[in-house]
């Protein structure tokens, strides 16, 4: 499965897979316990969260410095 790039904080950033997220969400010990019902439930819950939040493009605007003019002081 593809890794999920969720909100990582701190200097020790690492990717968490969807399998790991499902295991954590439902208290499962490993991937062998995941059922199709777990997957459908997880997707449905997260789809609802995404629908309530605005698109990322609007939430995170990168800082883009303006080009310096030749007469600007350094």
């Amino acid at each position: 499965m593809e890794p999920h790039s969720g909100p990582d904080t701190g200097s020790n950033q690492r990717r968490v897979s969807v399998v790991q997220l499902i295991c954590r969400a439902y208290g499962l010990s490993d991937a062998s316990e995941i059922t199709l019902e777990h997957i459908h439930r997880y997707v449905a819950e997260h789809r609802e969260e995404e629908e309530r939040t605005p698109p990322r493009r609007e939430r995170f605007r990168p800082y883009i410095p303006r080009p310096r003019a030749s007469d600007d002081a350094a």
Side-chain angles (χ1 to χ4, degrees):
M1 295 202 160
E2 293 181 23
H4 176 351
S5 58
D8 294 327
T9 58
S11 61
N12 186 17
Q13 295 180 357
R14 63 175 203 177
R15 295 188 178 269
V16 179
S17 72
V18 175
V19 171
Q20 291 171 316
L21 292 172
I22 292 173
C23 288
R24 289 179 191 171
Y26 304 114
L28 308 174
S29 61
D30 63 12
S32 66
E33 296 181 2
I34 297 175
T35 64
L36 196 55
E37 182 180 332
H38 288 119
I39 295 169
H40 287 300
R41 183 172 157 197
Y42 185 84
V43 169
E45 289 171 356
H46 286 79
R47 184 174 293 142
E48 290 172 3
E49 287 176 18
E50 287 180 8
E51 289 172 354
R52 286 190 301 248
T53 57
R56 282 189 177 198
R57 206 173 309 145
E58 294 174 10
R59 289 188 293 162
F60 303 110
R61 297 217 180 241
Y63 171 72
I64 302 172
R66 65 176 179 81
R68 283 191 169 175
S70 59
D71 60 342
D72 280 352

